[in-house]
Amino acid sequence: MNVANNWKDYEILDMANGEKLERWGNVILVRPDPQIIWKQKSFPEKWKSVNASYHRSKEGGGSWQYQKKMPESWKINYKDLTFRIKPMGFKHTGLFPEQAVNWDWMIEKIKNSKKEIKVLNLFAYTGGATVACSYAGASVCHVDSSKGMVTWAKENLQASRLENRPVRFIVDDVFKFVNREIKRQNTYDAIIMDPPSYGRGTNGEVWKFEENITDLVELCSKVLSNKPLFFLINSYTTGISSTVLENILRLNLERKYKGKLSSGEIGLPMTNSSLILPCGIYGRWEN
């Protein structure tokens, strides 16, 4: 498992009973996590100092309960990168800290490349990968179907003092956008995608991971440059093995490009503990 263990502004303080106790800068949050099925708290005292907790509703969804005064939004740093954090609906904060393992990997690949790299970031959310790739010196095309998330991504780029970097922000359905790029004969040296398990595009287009991921990877292989740098798929879809992602990349890229395939889990460590929280899976192809 690749563990995101280089954070200073984020940490898991404890986890038990389906919940994780997290520090985001100076703010302490409690959020549900389905992987935490054990009941024993390692540090019971730490749970007494919480700013806000997210509680799921039996009818679906949920809400935040605020125990202490806290800012509406605030910023945290990962190395030289800065991100705006804000409690959102359905327990999210606008950032997945475990993705730092992928950011580090992408930054190293781009910085070690001998040419200028063009990156296509699909389902790009609030732009963690966009900020990382921009920081490394790449030009990025950031695509997401949510206008609000794209606006947030612009704010993260600005917070990291990268607003002058070449980034193209697109609010669109990923299939429609990639099809247009094929017609325009635009190509990219690296592709990143973090597809949801289920979602809808800008005009209500339905996305289902198991039904659509293979078609999307096949489509994206048509916008890769002659000598691409990498292709990364990240997923949080329950029941899908990381080997499945590696298999899909193998079937679509191995015939045309020589490179290395890998896959696995990403996770977050718990401070002062040997416990690790599994957070998702990845499949990678790299030159």
Side-chain angles (χ1 to χ4, degrees), residues 56-89:
R56 284 213 170 109
S57 168
K58 292 180 181 179
E59 287 76 36
S63 61
W64 287 94
Q65 179 183 347
Y66 295 90
Q67 288 99 315
K68 286 185 179 180
K69 188 177 180 180
M70 58 178 281
E72 185 177 325
S73 67
W74 64 101
K75 293 176 182 176
I76 65 168
N77 298 313
Y78 179 74
K79 299 181 179 179
D80 293 333
L81 313 180
T82 302
F83 304 100
R84 185 170 72 88
I85 304 302
K86 178 182 178 182
M88 304 161 59

Side-chain angles (χ1 to χ4, degrees), residues 45-240:
E45 288 297 314
K46 292 183 179 180
W47 294 80
K48 295 179 181 179
S49 180
V50 175
N51 292 94
S53 306
Y54 186 88
H55 298 287
R56 284 213 170 109
S57 168
K58 292 180 181 179
E59 287 76 36
S63 61
W64 287 94
Q65 179 183 347
Y66 295 90
Q67 288 99 315
K68 286 185 179 180
K69 188 177 180 180
M70 58 178 281
E72 185 177 325
S73 67
W74 64 101
K75 293 176 182 176
I76 65 168
N77 298 313
Y78 179 74
K79 299 181 179 179
D80 293 333
L81 313 180
T82 302
F83 304 100
R84 185 170 72 88
I85 304 302
K86 178 182 178 182
M88 304 161 59
F90 196 65
K91 78 177 183 178
H92 294 307
T93 62
L95 194 70
F96 293 87
E98 64 274 9
Q99 286 301 318
V101 297
N102 284 327
W103 304 337
D104 287 341
W105 177 77
M106 290 183 283
I107 288 170
E108 183 180 11
K109 295 291 292 182
I110 292 167
K111 283 191 170 182
N112 289 338
S113 176
K114 295 178 182 179
K115 65 173 185 176
E116 186 173 336
I117 300 300
K118 286 178 62 182
V119 176
L120 177 60
N121 187 11
L122 302 175
F123 308 98
Y125 195 51
T126 60
T130 296
V131 172
C133 292
S134 297
Y135 169 77
S139 61
V140 184
C141 181
H142 175 112
V143 185
D144 196 277
S145 63
S146 168
K147 186 177 180 180
M149 294 301 105
V150 171
T151 299
W152 196 332
K154 292 177 181 177
E155 293 171 355
N156 282 333
L157 204 70
Q158 189 172 15
S160 294
R161 299 172 298 282
L162 297 167
E163 64 269 25
N164 294 323
R165 291 294 306 161
V167 179
R168 195 162 53 122
F169 291 99
I170 307 292
V171 180
D172 203 352
D173 173 75
V174 295
F175 272 102
K176 290 182 178 179
F177 177 76
V178 175
N179 272 309
R180 287 203 306 274
E181 291 293 84
I182 293 170
K183 291 178 182 177
R184 289 187 286 240
Q185 297 185 325
N186 283 340
T187 60
Y188 297 88
D189 305 298
I191 295 177
I192 307 159
M193 61 173 69
D194 191 353
S197 301
Y198 178 87
R200 290 188 179 274
T202 51
N203 294 312
E205 304 90 347
V206 176
W207 163 274
K208 291 183 180 179
F209 187 92
E210 296 90 334
E211 295 178 11
N212 300 125
I213 185 63
T214 301
D215 291 339
L216 181 59
V217 174
E218 182 181 1
L219 194 68
C220 287
S221 68
K222 297 176 183 178
V223 295
L224 281 172
S225 61
N226 291 330
K227 293 184 178 180
L229 186 63
F230 65 79
F231 198 129
L232 167 69
I233 307 172
N234 190 82
S235 176
Y236 294 95
T237 301
T238 306
I240 298 294

